[in-house]
């Protein structure tokens, strides 16, 4: 594939020359945040640098300040930030239109969302999600349906890892491709820990396979060490940090993926007014997901 020319306005973002950072992209980075809904609960955060390296990841940040510090979001660098959390919630009850659309499409794959509405304190003005969004907007981040393809920017998007897994990691037989169910690595009362642990290992293997993805990434040694741990001894809150860690890394990859492909491979479900989620598109022919998608489910 021949990459398109990258046009960058360094003056807009305070860069003095193309040599300020590797790759001629300024200090561009891609940040993934698996944002906890509750106050002071830990979130998974990861950063991919402009050269495609997963430089750092953590499931320790508990406050918005700690998230900003870990990802250096107070800096004037260009960045695409992908957040796994409902960023726009205006409905007083039930679920957002985007969540209904996601359920219609991905419920058969066990990859539907939890409902978000203003009856939940987590989504009200002044709660941690709203405060993080306001702080990012105060730093000139703009919420978009998809990043501007391969350009310097300060963009934030809402993502949802579970259906993104269904899309990006299809199976295939001799006649067709098949989309498998979402991973079952979230602990539930009737779900054995042996299953949770095995599904987490599948998640890790998928992330490692992105070293051969399009775009490809590479893991810093420290991040490789973090995800290389044996987790079968961990349950409850001790396990959750490892789940959040992988979600943070995957969200960062989605930020990188959407920047690399732009709207060419962005499936936008919903809208910015009532809430939207940006997903990858399946580039295999005769995709069954496109057959299931209602006309109201945005564009691809």
């Amino acid at each position: 594939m021949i990459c398109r020319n990258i046009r960058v306005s360094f003056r807009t973002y305070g860069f003095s020359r193309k040599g300020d950072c590797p790759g001629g992209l300024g200090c561009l980075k891609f940040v993934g945040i698996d944002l906890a809904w509750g106050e002071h609960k830990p979130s998974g955060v990861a950063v991919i640098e402009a050269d495609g390296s997963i430089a750092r990841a953590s499931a320790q940040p508990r406050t918005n300040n700690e998230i900003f510090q870990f990802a250096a979001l107070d800096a004037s660098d260009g960045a695409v930030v992908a957040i796994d959390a409902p960023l726009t919630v205006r409905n007083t009850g039930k679920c957002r239109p985007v969540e209904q659309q996601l359920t219609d499409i991905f419920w058969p794959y066990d990859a539907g969302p939890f409902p978000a509405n203003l009856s939940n304190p987590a989504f009200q003005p002044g709660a941690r999600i709203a405060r993080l969004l306001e702080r990012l907007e105060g730093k000139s981040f703009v919420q978009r349906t998809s990043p501007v393809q391969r350009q310097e920017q300060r963009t934030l998007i809402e993502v949802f890892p579970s259906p993104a897994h269904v899309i990006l990691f299809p199976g295939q037989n001799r006649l067709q491709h098949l989309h498998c169910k979402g991973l079952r690595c979230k602990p539930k009362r009737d779900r054995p820990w042996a299953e949770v642990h095995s599904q987490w290992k599948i998640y890790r293997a998928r992330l490692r396979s992105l070293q051969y993805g399009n775009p490809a990434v590479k893991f810093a040694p420290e991040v490789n060490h973090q995800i290389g741990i044996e987790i079968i001894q961990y349950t409850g809150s001790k396990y959750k940090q490892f789940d959040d860690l992988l979600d943070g890394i995957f969200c960062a990859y989605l930020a990188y993926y959407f920047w690399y492909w732009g709207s060419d491979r962005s499936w936008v479900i919903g809208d910015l007014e009532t809430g939207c989620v940006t997903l990858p598109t399946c580039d295999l022919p005769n995709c069954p997901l496109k057959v299931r998608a209602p006309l109201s489910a945005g564009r691809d």
Side-chain angles (χ1 to χ4, degrees), residues 7 12 38 44 130 144 181 206:
R7 298 177 181 176
T12 301
R144 296 186 173 95
K181 289 186 177 181
R206 288 179 175 179

Side-chain angles (χ1 to χ4, degrees), residues 116-162:
N117 59 65
L118 292 175
S119 68
N120 187 329
F123 307 120
Q124 293 177 359
R128 72 103 42 102
I129 297 175
R131 294 200 311 273
L132 181 67
L133 188 61
E134 290 171 0
R135 184 165 174 179
L136 286 166
E137 290 172 342
K139 293 293 182 179
S140 300
F141 282 91
V142 177
Q143 186 177 356
R144 296 186 173 95
T145 55
S146 61
V148 182
Q149 189 177 25
R150 303 183 202 176
Q151 291 190 25
E152 257 336 312
Q153 60 201 283
R154 290 174 74 78
T155 290
L156 60 95
I157 54 175
E158 181 179 334
V159 297
F160 185 13
S162 190

Side-chain angles (χ1 to χ4, degrees), residues 110 114 184-193 196:
D110 286 347
F114 289 106
R184 295 166 61 87
C185 54
K186 307 295 182 186
K188 290 191 176 181
R189 184 174 300 176
D190 60 345
R191 187 171 294 169
W193 275 105
V196 172

Side-chain angles (χ1 to χ4, degrees), residues 174-185:
R174 291 180 181 271
L175 299 177
Q176 62 183 334
H177 77 272
L178 305 168
H179 287 281
C180 302
K181 289 186 177 181
L183 292 171
R184 295 166 61 87
C185 54

Side-chain angles (χ1 to χ4, degrees), residues 245-283:
L245 183 69
L246 297 193
D247 275 342
I249 294 170
F250 188 52
C251 287
Y253 180 76
L254 291 176
Y256 186 42
Y257 176 98
F258 293 129
W259 171 83
Y260 186 88
W261 290 110
S263 60
D264 291 349
R265 292 197 184 180
S266 294
W267 183 8
V268 180
I269 300 181
D271 56 60
L272 290 173
E273 180 62 28
T274 61
C276 69
V277 168
T278 303
L279 297 172
T281 59
C282 177
D283 60 346

